Amino acid sequence: MIETPYLLFLGDAPDQLAAKVAQGIKDWRPEFALGQFRMEGCKAGMGLTDMDLAEAKAAGAKTLVIGVANRGGVISQAWKKVLVTALEEGFDLASGLHNLLRDEPDLVAVAEACGRQLHDVRIPSVKYPIANGVKRTGKRCLAVGTDCSVGKMYTALCMEREMLARGMKASFRATGQTGILITGDGVPLDAVIADFMAGSIEYLTPDNDADHWDLIEGQGSLFHVSYSGVTMALVHGGQPDALILCHEPTRAHMRGLPGYDLPSLQALRDTALPLARVANPTCEVVGISVNTQNMPEAEARAYLASLEAEMGLPATDPFRFGAEKLVDALAAI
Amino acid sequence: MIETPYLLFLGDAPDQLAAKVAQGIKDWRPEFALGQFRMEGCKAGMGLTDMDLAEAKAAGAKTLVIGVANRGGVISQAWKKVLVTALEEGFDLASGLHNLLRDEPDLVAVAEACGRQLHDVRIPSVKYPIANGVKRTGKRCLAVGTDCSVGKMYTALCMEREMLARGMKASFRATGQTGILITGDGVPLDAVIADFMAGSIEYLTPDNDADHWDLIEGQGSLFHVSYSGVTMALVHGGQPDALILCHEPTRAHMRGLPGYDLPSLQALRDTALPLARVANPTCEVVGISVNTQNMPEAEARAYLASLEAEMGLPATDPFRFGAEKLVDALAAI
């Protein structure tokens, strides 16, 4: 177990999206988020108290959580000095980056010398099976996006919160490092060996009560050429009964791919649903979740209303306006 | 480099398909395939001389190649005795299984004691990048299948042979252990970490002459729930200009998935082409490759003719009837 509370390390994050790990912890486990540590040039902020290591230590923080992701998951040399000092000052470190803390000899040496722990939540902790495609009991909902980082995890977490408030049986199933750091369990899907991706999702969402819903955290996008294979494994390994379409309408191009336009929500629906029905012939698209954080409220509400008319599906920003519509749609299945 | 010639180890293969690694080596590098080693209960055969280890050693074999795949890639205890004896008698071992020779302490100990090599072609030898989706020069052809093991690798190898015979610029690009054992190079895609799958295919098929064709070995199927994510990475990482649809018409259900029917070739076309156009808007489906090994010749020819009429595409069994039609179609792009 990772010791709490955390000091959230935002490093030299180039933008707010790069710090989505920290944002997720702050939003969903605020009691763990004691403060934030920012380096020169950091373009992200959590609205938490800025603390240096000594201040955070004095305030009771136990673990420095790397709350920022770099392309490729590299642990930059610019960060190294802070991480070494944190270990020396008595913090454990936790990270979801591809490049592991335990593969950095200097961090390992200092951690051993100081008796501190290095937590790499990126590493699969289980030997996953190859998917067998056998139909499982219980129900599953998967969020699929027009792009990466459009709010798939938040959609699932918002729906879980609303469902639990209604007394429904629901479990958020984490498939990325933020989700795992939030819930303490899950599959670090983008670090799983290719052949076992779909099997890892079958493992994550096993047989359950007939009225229980797994809310599976989506990853990537079927239209994002860097990560579409990961998304595909979720669509087939997850056997979803319900798909939620996720979108961020102000995005100028696919994240990290300047030459690629976002698909329409219609294109996402028409691509994802037939693929999902390979694994679950009764799958339906039940709603639309829009990340409207870059739109004024009136514009956001008008946009959602126009989507509902155009697509014939309930549409909301579950983080801003509540997940009721999406949960109503699930409850109707 | 793996020393040749090989003794092909067929183990206790439950059927001929399970020995497709050995079959591939025998068909495409017959000069490497000195003989076959079969255990009790083996249901596969290559039409090679059955040899025990001593006979193969006397005939000049240098390496025992594990030519049989088990579900999940496990090195069974039933095989272990043969492998240990082979090392003791002076063979190197080569394997493309997920479970690595080098992770078996008894094999490692004997190999060290006897001064022999353990070759695991399954292990990625390169730190692949994340795919960037940037358009590359040169042309690429990808074989996509209605199912796994329907002849995608053979299709690409047949086309390469025909193209080189015509003086065209062409390179078979291996993405599986058989292809890598045949050509000595490639990406073991099903063993690549999920986030780097598409990037590994970009790496495998870099910028090239405008009139050069990469013939990319397909893997899995967009309709096979266990492996569809791997296929998706090929479709997007490969940026194919041309798709070849591959099919095995006598298959009763998806390989390893008794509850799943094969899709039609129309469904494969209508699924694969829009996905491929995300990465390469000019991609076309140019032909159909059918594995007719389980059909009498007259029936096979009639089936191919009916497919051509129905689909409006050239159709052949390139291994049985030649790859001319498919290469003509590529040359016309």
Side-chain angles (χ1 to χ4, degrees):
Chain A
M1 287 302 298
I2 302 173
E3 280 198 83
T4 59
Y6 303 150
L7 176 62
L8 300 179
F9 176 76
L10 308 186
D12 46 5
D15 57 30
Q16 192 72 11
L17 266 179
K20 69 176 183 172
V21 171
Q23 189 76 50
I25 295 169
K26 188 259 182 181
D27 288 337
W28 298 100
R29 292 291 184 275
E31 66 274 24
F32 295 171
L34 197 69
Q36 62 187 20
F37 184 104
R38 298 196 284 185
M39 295 169 57
E40 195 174 315
C42 181
K43 302 282 199 305
M46 297 300 123
L48 296 170
T49 306
D50 283 298
M51 296 181 177
D52 64 22
L53 294 170
E55 290 165 343
K57 193 71 197 166
K62 304 290 191 196
T63 302
L64 183 71
V65 175
I66 298 182
V68 54
N70 280 359
R71 194 168 167 85
V74 175
I75 298 171
S76 81
Q77 289 305 313
W79 297 357
K80 197 63 84 58
K81 188 162 170 248
V82 179
L83 303 185
V84 167
T85 306
L87 289 168
E88 289 169 348
E89 298 195 6
F91 289 86
D92 291 340
L93 302 181
S95 161
L97 299 175
H98 265 299
N99 287 40
L100 305 178
L101 299 172
R102 71 186 64 177
D103 289 340
E104 304 289 322
D106 45 355
L107 295 182
V108 171
V110 177
E112 281 182 7
C114 302
R116 306 316 314 166
Q117 299 294 314
L118 303 177
H119 297 284
D120 287 300
V121 302
R122 170 71 57 172
I123 297 180
S125 55
V126 171
K127 194 166 159 51
Y128 302 115
I130 287 180
N132 63 25
V134 174
K135 176 72 179 164
R136 305 191 291 290
T137 54
K139 291 187 177 294
R140 286 156 199 87
C141 175
L142 174 67
V144 293
T146 52
D147 193 3
C148 301
S149 308
V150 294
K152 297 183 295 295
M153 184 185 76
Y154 273 51
T155 299
L157 284 164
C158 288
M159 291 176 72
E160 182 201 39
R161 186 174 282 176
E162 171 68 16
M163 292 170 85
L164 294 176
R166 293 188 190 189
M168 296 172 71
K169 297 177 188 171
S171 304
F172 172 75
R173 300 298 189 183
T175 62
Q177 64 271 26
T178 309
I180 296 171
L181 284 168
I182 290 173
T183 64
D185 195 12
V187 167
L189 182 58
D190 58 9
V192 172
I193 297 287
D195 246 7
F196 302 94
M197 292 187 300
S200 75
I201 302 306
E202 292 187 349
Y203 173 91
L204 180 67
T205 60
D207 281 333
N208 214 317
D209 295 344
D211 58 347
H212 176 277
W213 280 94
D214 280 326
L215 299 158
I216 306 173
E217 180 190 355
Q219 294 293 336
S221 166
L222 293 169
F223 291 84
H224 195 295
V225 297
S226 308
Y227 308 116
S228 52
V230 177
T231 313
M232 191 75 180
L234 283 158
V235 170
H236 282 166
Q239 293 183 352
D241 300 274
L243 296 176
I244 306 284
L245 308 180
C246 297
H247 188 49
E248 204 286 65
T250 69
R251 196 71 61 85
H253 59 73
M254 296 293 284
R255 182 157 168 82
L257 303 175
Y260 289 79
D261 293 334
L262 269 72
S264 66
L265 281 162
Q266 288 87 345
L268 175 61
R269 174 195 63 201
D270 296 344
T271 300
L273 186 58
L275 289 170
R277 286 183 171 169
V278 170
N280 186 344
T282 66
C283 185
E284 296 288 349
V285 175
V286 299
I288 301 169
S289 173
V290 181
N291 176 350
T292 64
Q293 68 180 347
N294 296 321
M295 303 168 91
E297 180 169 340
E299 184 185 338
R301 290 193 184 276
Y303 178 75
L304 291 168
S306 74
L307 276 186
E308 291 195 338
E310 191 183 337
M311 301 281 295
L313 290 167
T316 187
D317 180 333
F319 191 62
R320 188 175 191 176
F321 302 128
E324 289 82 354
K325 283 183 178 184
L326 301 178
V327 172
D328 289 346
L330 274 200
I333 284 189
Chain B
M1 288 301 300
I2 302 173
E3 279 197 86
T4 60
Y6 303 150
L7 175 62
L8 301 179
F9 177 76
L10 308 186
D12 46 5
D15 57 30
Q16 192 73 12
L17 266 179
K20 70 175 183 172
V21 171
Q23 189 76 48
I25 295 169
K26 189 259 181 179
D27 288 336
W28 298 100
R29 292 291 185 276
E31 66 274 25
F32 294 172
L34 197 69
Q36 64 187 20
F37 184 103
R38 297 196 283 185
M39 293 169 57
E40 194 174 314
C42 180
K43 302 283 199 306
M46 296 301 124
L48 296 169
T49 306
D50 282 298
M51 296 181 178
D52 63 22
L53 294 170
E55 290 165 344
K57 193 73 198 166
K62 304 287 192 198
T63 302
L64 183 72
V65 176
I66 297 181
V68 54
N70 280 359
R71 193 166 169 88
V74 174
I75 298 171
S76 81
Q77 290 306 313
W79 297 358
K80 196 61 85 54
K81 187 161 171 245
V82 179
L83 303 185
V84 167
T85 306
L87 289 168
E88 289 169 347
E89 297 196 5
F91 290 86
D92 291 342
L93 301 182
S95 163
L97 299 176
H98 265 297
N99 287 41
L100 304 179
L101 299 172
R102 72 186 64 177
D103 289 341
E104 304 289 323
D106 45 355
L107 295 182
V108 170
V110 177
E112 279 182 8
C114 302
R116 307 315 315 168
Q117 299 293 314
L118 303 178
H119 298 284
D120 287 300
V121 304
R122 170 73 55 173
I123 298 180
S125 54
V126 171
K127 193 166 157 52
Y128 302 115
I130 287 180
N132 63 25
V134 174
K135 175 72 179 163
R136 305 191 292 288
T137 55
K139 290 185 178 295
R140 284 156 200 88
C141 175
L142 173 67
V144 293
T146 51
D147 193 3
C148 302
S149 308
V150 293
K152 296 183 296 292
M153 184 184 76
Y154 273 51
T155 299
L157 284 164
C158 287
M159 290 176 72
E160 182 200 40
R161 187 176 279 177
E162 171 68 17
M163 292 170 85
L164 295 175
R166 293 188 190 188
M168 295 172 71
K169 297 177 188 171
S171 304
F172 172 76
R173 300 297 190 185
T175 62
Q177 64 269 27
T178 310
I180 296 171
L181 284 168
I182 289 173
T183 64
D185 196 13
V187 167
L189 182 59
D190 58 9
V192 172
I193 297 287
D195 245 9
F196 302 95
M197 292 187 299
S200 75
I201 303 305
E202 291 188 348
Y203 174 92
L204 180 68
T205 61
D207 281 333
N208 214 316
D209 296 344
D211 59 345
H212 176 276
W213 280 94
D214 278 327
L215 299 158
I216 306 172
E217 181 189 356
Q219 294 292 337
S221 165
L222 293 169
F223 291 84
H224 195 294
V225 297
S226 307
Y227 308 115
S228 53
V230 177
T231 313
M232 191 75 180
L234 282 158
V235 170
H236 282 166
Q239 292 182 351
D241 301 273
L243 295 176
I244 306 283
L245 308 180
C246 297
H247 188 49
E248 204 286 65
T250 69
R251 195 71 59 87
H253 58 73
M254 295 295 283
R255 183 159 167 79
L257 304 175
Y260 289 80
D261 293 333
L262 270 72
S264 67
L265 282 162
Q266 287 87 344
L268 175 61
R269 176 194 64 201
D270 295 345
T271 300
L273 186 58
L275 290 171
R277 285 182 172 169
V278 170
N280 185 344
T282 66
C283 185
E284 296 288 349
V285 174
V286 299
I288 300 168
S289 174
V290 181
N291 176 350
T292 65
Q293 68 180 347
N294 297 321
M295 303 168 91
E297 180 169 341
E299 183 185 338
R301 290 192 184 276
Y303 178 75
L304 291 169
S306 73
L307 275 187
E308 292 195 338
E310 190 182 338
M311 300 281 295
L313 290 167
T316 186
D317 180 334
F319 191 61
R320 188 175 191 176
F321 302 129
E324 290 82 354
K325 283 182 177 184
L326 301 178
V327 172
D328 290 346
L330 274 200
I333 285 189

